[in-house]
Amino acid sequence: MLSHGNTTAGFGGYGVLKLLGEALADSVLEPWSTRKRRRRNRWSFGSIIDRCTRTPHAKVNDAGQETQIDQSTPRIPPLPFPRMWRSDALDKLYLRTQFFTLHPSSVARQTTMASYDSPEVRDHSPQKDVLADQQMSLRRYLATRIPTLRPPMAKAPSPFKLLALLNLQQWLFFLVAFIAWSWDAFDFFTVSLTVTQLSKQFDKKPSQITWGITLVLMFRSVGAIIFGIAADRYGRKWPFVVNNILFIVLELGTGFCNTYDQFLACRALFGIAMGGLYGNAAATALEDCPEAARGILSGMLQQGYAFGYLLATVFARGLVDTTSHGWRPLFWFGACPPVLIIAFRLCLPETKSYIERDAVRKANGSVASTFIAEGKVALKKHWLLLSYLVLLMAGFNFMSHGSQDLYPQMLENQFEFSHDAVTVTQVVANLGAMTGGTVIGYCKPLLSSTLPSDSQANPFIQPPKSSAAASP
């Protein structure tokens, strides 16, 4: 019997032994060509998923009596994409996840796996199902996929209970990430809030000054790649510290710029630093926290951007054109808090998730080669999801930066708002953004019906009850 602690190997122990036994029987009783075809079509992890996701059907036994598979046995939900897009490794991982999700106990997993692999299921022409899945058209996929996207709309737990799941260290990780991301946004919007003053300082049109914003956005991708690789290779802590050191240097440099070219150079380099921070901050804040709380925490973390914009609006009203230095004090002030953020991060350890991952790499011998191999596997297996997320974020950034970066200028020039009116409008807008982001983050698990989850990972969706799991 499998040990209860071996949660991830529920199917791995029982299922693999059963597959090996069937393969051995095939090797004795069948010729090579038939045996090869049966193994390919019948005993792959993908075909097991195909058998397990079918609706139970009636069957006539040798005595002529009609039998039925136990309807109370929970079925595995189908994978959310056609068979031709799947790989054996992905199918294996999906099986492990689903069997643990439906049956947390070892006894229940073995009992349910036996019912899934029973002759009634196994003899239901799996080759035809696999072939039909491989030949599924895009139209058929959309027709069968869209109905599964209906949210479960289950009862939601209290957000306070979710937040209470975090321990002190997890809260500190979240806090340092939130503050850093907020100040990243503060430093970015310093240019948006001083376009008029900068255009007078450098004797340029406002449209030329906004190239300082465009360059930041262009170089964000460079920073995301550089610091993202560094954070995965060397840990979350030190790339985070280096990132904030760059903020200090570049904000001070922008505040001391005397020419337009110097200004553009500083903002381009700032784009690299800005792009490198968010991925590291998100990993620091979320990878160690309980899965049940990640929805609301991710929504709260993202709103550090709106909170930073709010702070920039308030401090711009107090620091810009209130001294003989004009716009420069806003940038000088922006270089100060990263010193405290660095000290805060140095007081915290490395995240537990990275420590465990690094230990696995060291156990494999070469850390560098293992890291490169992980990257290749990630790109090979998840390129489609990665491409989708890049396009999704491109759309979000198009709407975000296209509407808010020059919004203060529109209020001043087109609607003739005073400085006080612009400040109030921006504060109200960002308070709304912070509220909306947090609420939607809390509702993400409630509205998600496409990801496998268990009662601990997703408290909104309760696992189905089964007679096998209920039996003592």
Side-chain angles (χ1 to χ4, degrees), residues 177-185 220 277-278 281 301-302 304-305:
F178 180 86
I179 295 173
W181 176 231
S182 299
W183 212 255
D184 188 349
R220 279 180 67 178
L277 182 82
Y278 181 72
L301 176 65
Q302 177 59 31
Y305 190 76

Side-chain angles (χ1 to χ4, degrees), residues 50-51 54 124-134:
D50 297 328
R51 296 200 300 277
R54 281 195 299 276
H124 185 59
S125 303
Q127 295 90 339
K128 295 181 180 180
D129 291 342
V130 174
L131 182 61
D133 204 8
Q134 290 175 340

